[in-house]
Amino acid sequence: RTPPEHTTEGPRALGYFYRSALDYILRNVGFSHTVGASRSLASLVRFPVAEGSDDHRAGKRSGDRRHSGRSVRRTSSGAQPGKRGGRGEPEDKQARAVRRGRPLRKDGGVHHRARRPDTSQPKDAGAQRRPKRPPIPDDITGMELDPGVRRELGSLSKEVAERVARHLVAAGRLIDDDPEAALEHAMAARLDGYRLGVVREACGLAAYAAERYEQALAEFRAARRLTGRMEYTPLMADCERGLNRPARAIELARSVDRSQLDDATRIELLIVEAGARRDLGQVAAALAVLDVPELRSGPSGTTTARLRYAYADTLEALGRTEEAAEWFARAATADVDGETDADARRLALRGD
């Protein structure tokens, strides 16, 4: 079953969190992403020199010190391989074939290995496999993106950057009503901007909204690797819950230095960890996870409201309905933006 979006009963406990994250990309305010410079694969890979090439032969010149002083392998007759009778005469084809264990034809010739079939793809095969880009509404220009995000697209050509920006805006528009369509636009942006952290983040958010948790987890990992930011951890942990791996979610949540997280991210991580505890049947432990100082002294706002809501929901699961109703009321008081249904839950418990 699909649990309520704002409870800790199952995955998607971060419904508000992922929407606010994508809104953060689209808002016309300062953006804090800093994408680390990525090294090209060519600079990380040492390609081996093909045997038989000019460079390979040059490395085996008779005067090359790398090969001097080595003992020369000889055959049982004392001759060097490739020589006949040790006199320096070249070995004929038949003798060489026998020595290498290759059969001779009846006419005395040598059976050569069959040539491998040509399995090369046509030049346009990649284009045939490439997913189609969804159409972008004409009213989207790409200028709707946050200025900081547009600057991150500066490593792309002007035409490509505009196309990526328009796909990101389209994804932001669709993520609530049609997350699958939003994911198509995000993945279209990824075709051109796969090395940009903000693009991989958008892909992860869209996949998360579409409940494609394996894909979302991979994209968030890539975004974290590219940006070095730990703010993706709550979403990554919730993806582990969505994949029925609550123990991994707890392990991931506890592997992070929480002193390096901002308050909102840290609280969201607590909510996910509590949800994972409940997935394992550890309801009392989930309540203990949520019992932090911010529960009672946090300022009004969505973060405090969600923490109190999760606490109240866990109290109800423990059968402590009176306390749960009280904390739902406190959550409703803090929820100045109306992001939760805390007041409705309070009324349901009190029978009003």
Side-chain angles (χ1 to χ4, degrees):
R1 66 188 179 89
T2 302
E5 185 173 289
H6 294 288
T7 72
T8 57
E9 292 182 6
R12 296 294 304 281
L14 299 178
Y16 169 79
F17 193 62
Y18 84 77
R19 284 199 303 273
S20 63
L22 196 57
D23 288 344
Y24 195 40
I25 295 177
L26 299 175
R27 279 202 317 245
N28 290 319
V29 295
F31 193 71
S32 61
H33 278 317
T34 303
V35 179
S38 59
R39 298 166 62 186
S40 66
L41 289 176
S43 66
L44 298 177
V45 178
R46 291 182 179 272
F47 293 98
V49 180
E51 186 171 355
S53 67
D54 292 340
D55 291 339
H56 186 271
R57 285 191 293 269
K60 291 188 177 181
R61 296 188 299 269
S62 59
D64 196 328
R65 292 182 179 272
R66 290 176 297 176
H67 300 278
S68 61
R70 297 181 184 177
S71 60
V72 179
R73 181 173 61 89
R74 296 182 179 273
T75 63
S76 57
S77 63
Q80 297 180 19
K83 304 294 183 179
R84 187 173 57 186
R87 295 189 299 274
E89 300 177 7
E91 186 178 32
D92 60 47
K93 291 183 179 181
Q94 291 184 355
R96 185 165 58 249
V98 172
R99 179 171 54 80
R100 293 180 179 179
R102 290 167 59 182
L104 299 177
R105 295 199 305 262
K106 292 181 178 180
D107 59 0
V110 181
H111 282 292
H112 295 280
R113 292 173 182 158
R115 180 175 296 178
R116 293 182 179 178
D118 184 9
T119 58
S120 61
Q121 298 289 336
K123 292 183 178 180
D124 60 346
Q128 294 174 2
R129 293 192 301 267
R130 192 175 298 122
K132 295 181 179 180
R133 301 176 188 270
I136 307 173
D138 293 336
D139 63 317
I140 294 179
T141 65
M143 296 303 293
E144 299 89 343
L145 276 185
D146 174 82
V149 177
R150 291 202 303 271
R151 283 194 294 272
E152 290 191 29
L153 304 182
S155 60
L156 306 174
S157 68
K158 183 178 180 180
E159 178 183 357
V160 173
E162 179 182 341
R163 182 168 63 233
V164 170
R166 294 181 69 201
H167 277 299
L168 290 179
V169 174
R173 283 189 181 182
L174 293 166
I175 194 166
D176 283 329
D177 300 327
D178 192 348
E180 288 289 345
L183 180 57
E184 289 183 9
H185 279 285
M187 295 304 291
R190 186 181 183 275
L191 292 175
D192 296 312
Y194 65 95
R195 289 187 179 179
L196 301 180
V198 66
V199 173
R200 304 303 289 270
E201 175 185 353
C203 291
L205 293 169
Y208 179 87
E211 301 186 17
R212 295 175 176 264
Y213 299 117
E214 191 77 52
Q215 182 178 359
L217 185 60
E219 294 298 333
F220 288 136
R221 283 172 177 163
R224 186 173 67 173
R225 183 177 66 253
L226 290 167
T227 65
R229 298 177 66 220
M230 302 304 295
E231 285 82 353
Y232 308 113
T233 307
L235 290 159
M236 294 169 63
D238 210 40
C239 286
E240 294 286 7
R241 292 182 63 206
L243 295 168
N244 296 317
R245 300 191 297 230
R248 288 194 187 182
I250 295 172
E251 181 181 359
L252 178 59
R254 292 191 167 273
S255 68
V256 178
D257 183 1
R258 301 189 183 187
S259 65
Q260 302 298 318
L261 304 177
D262 59 72
D263 291 341
T265 305
R266 185 167 51 82
I267 295 303
E268 294 295 340
L269 192 57
L270 290 174
I271 293 174
V272 175
E273 182 182 351
R277 294 286 182 188
R278 289 181 61 171
D279 294 342
L280 294 171
Q282 304 170 3
V283 185
L287 189 70
V289 168
L290 298 169
D291 194 355
V292 293
E294 292 85 352
L295 181 67
R296 296 168 178 80
S297 60
S300 295
T302 301
T303 299
T304 301
R306 285 174 52 74
L307 176 60
R308 292 176 178 177
Y309 188 102
Y311 190 77
D313 188 66
T314 307
L315 284 169
E316 184 181 4
L318 288 169
R320 298 160 60 175
T321 55
E322 291 187 7
E323 294 175 81
E326 177 185 347
W327 278 102
F328 275 127
R330 297 182 70 171
T333 301
D335 190 8
V336 293
D337 296 322
E339 291 292 337
T340 72
D341 61 347
D343 196 49
R345 295 286 298 274
R346 175 188 66 83
L347 293 174
L349 285 175
R350 290 183 173 172
D352 296 343

Coordinates of all heavy atoms in Angstrom, one line a residue, residues 3 11 19 23 28 40 63 67 83 87 91 99 116 166 191 193 222 240 245 251 270 320 341:
P3 N 1.7 4.6 1.8 CA 1.4 5.2 3.0 C 1.1 6.7 2.9 O 1.4 7.3 1.8 CB 2.7 5.0 3.8 CG 3.7 4.9 2.8 CD 3.1 4.3 1.6
P11 N 8.1 4.6 2.6 CA 8.8 5.6 1.7 C 7.9 6.7 1.3 O 6.7 6.7 1.5 CB 9.2 4.7 0.5 CG 8.2 3.5 0.6 CD 7.9 3.3 2.0
R19 N 9.9 18.2 -3.0 CA 9.2 19.3 -3.8 C 9.9 20.6 -3.5 O 10.2 21.4 -4.4 CB 7.8 19.4 -3.4 CG 6.9 18.3 -4.0 CD 5.4 18.7 -4.0 NE 5.0 19.0 -2.7 CZ 4.5 18.1 -1.9 NH1 4.4 16.8 -2.3 NH2 4.0 18.4 -0.7
D23 N 11.8 23.0 -6.1 CA 11.4 24.4 -6.2 C 12.6 25.3 -5.9 O 12.7 26.4 -6.5 CB 10.4 24.7 -5.1 CG 9.0 24.1 -5.4 OD1 8.8 23.8 -6.6 OD2 8.2 24.0 -4.6
N28 N 13.8 32.1 -8.2 CA 14.7 33.1 -8.6 C 15.4 33.7 -7.3 O 15.3 34.9 -7.0 CB 14.0 34.2 -9.3 CG 13.6 33.8 -10.7 OD1 14.3 33.1 -11.4 ND2 12.4 34.1 -11.1
S40 N 38.3 14.6 -16.9 CA 37.8 13.8 -18.0 C 38.4 12.4 -17.9 O 39.4 12.1 -17.3 CB 38.3 14.4 -19.3 OG 39.7 14.3 -19.4
G63 N 68.7 -2.0 -28.7 CA 69.5 -1.2 -27.8 C 68.8 -0.7 -26.6 O 69.3 0.0 -25.8
H67 N 65.2 -4.1 -22.0 CA 65.2 -5.5 -22.3 C 66.6 -6.1 -22.3 O 66.8 -7.3 -22.6 CB 64.7 -5.7 -23.8 CG 63.3 -5.3 -23.9 ND1 62.2 -6.0 -23.5 CD2 62.8 -4.1 -24.3 CE1 61.1 -5.3 -23.7 NE2 61.4 -4.1 -24.2
K83 N 64.3 -19.5 -34.7 CA 65.5 -19.8 -35.5 C 65.5 -21.3 -35.7 O 64.9 -22.1 -34.9 CB 66.8 -19.4 -34.7 CG 66.8 -17.9 -34.3 CD 66.9 -17.0 -35.5 CE 67.0 -15.6 -35.1 NZ 67.1 -14.7 -36.3
R87 N 71.3 -21.7 -36.2 CA 72.1 -21.0 -37.1 C 71.7 -19.7 -37.5 O 72.2 -19.0 -38.4 CB 72.3 -21.9 -38.4 CG 73.0 -23.2 -38.1 CD 73.3 -24.0 -39.4 NE 72.1 -24.2 -40.1 CZ 71.3 -25.3 -40.0 NH1 71.6 -26.2 -39.1 NH2 70.3 -25.5 -40.8
E91 N 62.7 -19.6 -39.4 CA 61.9 -20.9 -39.3 C 60.8 -20.8 -40.4 O 60.2 -19.8 -40.5 CB 61.3 -21.0 -37.9 CG 60.6 -22.3 -37.7 CD 60.1 -22.3 -36.2 OE1 59.8 -21.2 -35.7 OE2 60.0 -23.4 -35.6
R99 N 55.2 -26.3 -34.3 CA 55.6 -25.9 -32.9 C 54.5 -25.2 -32.1 O 54.4 -25.4 -30.9 CB 56.8 -24.9 -33.0 CG 57.3 -24.5 -31.7 CD 58.7 -23.7 -31.8 NE 58.6 -22.6 -32.8 CZ 58.0 -21.4 -32.5 NH1 57.5 -21.2 -31.3 NH2 58.0 -20.5 -33.4
R116 N 37.3 -13.1 -37.6 CA 36.1 -12.8 -36.8 C 35.1 -12.0 -37.6 O 35.5 -11.1 -38.4 CB 36.5 -11.9 -35.5 CG 37.4 -12.7 -34.6 CD 37.7 -11.9 -33.3 NE 38.5 -12.6 -32.4 CZ 39.0 -12.1 -31.2 NH1 38.6 -10.8 -30.9 NH2 39.7 -12.8 -30.4
R166 N 15.5 24.3 -20.4 CA 14.1 24.2 -20.7 C 13.6 22.9 -20.2 O 12.5 22.8 -19.7 CB 13.9 24.4 -22.2 CG 14.2 25.8 -22.7 CD 13.9 25.9 -24.2 NE 12.5 25.8 -24.5 CZ 12.0 25.4 -25.6 NH1 12.8 25.1 -26.6 NH2 10.7 25.4 -25.8
L191 N 21.0 13.8 -20.9 CA 21.7 13.5 -22.1 C 22.8 14.4 -22.4 O 23.9 14.1 -22.9 CB 20.7 13.4 -23.3 CG 19.7 12.3 -23.3 CD1 18.7 12.5 -24.5 CD2 20.3 10.9 -23.3
G193 N 23.8 17.0 -20.0 CA 24.4 17.5 -18.8 C 24.7 16.5 -17.7 O 24.5 16.8 -16.5
A222 N 25.3 10.1 -7.7 CA 26.1 10.8 -8.7 C 26.2 12.3 -8.4 O 27.2 13.0 -8.5 CB 25.5 10.6 -10.1
E240 N 16.3 3.9 0.1 CA 16.6 2.6 0.6 C 15.4 2.0 1.3 O 15.1 0.8 1.2 CB 17.8 2.6 1.7 CG 19.1 3.0 1.1 CD 19.8 1.9 0.3 OE1 19.1 0.9 0.1 OE2 20.9 2.1 -0.1
R245 N 14.8 -1.8 2.2 CA 16.1 -2.1 2.9 C 16.2 -1.1 4.0 O 17.1 -0.2 4.0 CB 17.2 -1.9 1.9 CG 17.2 -2.9 0.7 CD 18.4 -2.9 -0.1 NE 18.7 -1.6 -0.8 CZ 19.0 -1.5 -2.1 NH1 18.9 -2.5 -2.9 NH2 19.3 -0.3 -2.6
E251 N 21.8 2.6 8.5 CA 23.2 2.6 8.3 C 23.7 3.9 7.6 O 24.7 4.6 8.0 CB 23.7 1.4 7.6 CG 25.3 1.3 7.5 CD 25.7 0.1 6.7 OE1 24.8 -0.7 6.3 OE2 26.9 -0.1 6.5
L270 N 16.5 12.6 10.5 CA 15.9 12.0 11.7 C 14.5 11.3 11.4 O 14.2 10.2 11.8 CB 15.7 13.0 12.8 CG 17.0 13.5 13.5 CD1 16.6 14.6 14.5 CD2 17.7 12.4 14.2
R320 N -0.6 5.7 22.4 CA -0.6 6.8 23.3 C -1.4 8.0 22.6 O -0.8 9.0 22.3 CB 0.8 7.2 23.7 CG 1.5 6.1 24.5 CD 3.1 6.2 24.4 NE 3.6 7.4 25.1 CZ 4.9 7.7 25.2 NH1 5.8 6.8 24.9 NH2 5.3 8.8 25.8
D341 N -1.4 17.8 7.5 CA -2.9 17.7 7.9 C -2.9 17.4 9.4 O -3.8 16.7 9.9 CB -3.6 16.6 7.2 CG -3.0 15.2 7.4 OD1 -1.8 15.1 8.0 OD2 -3.6 14.2 7.1

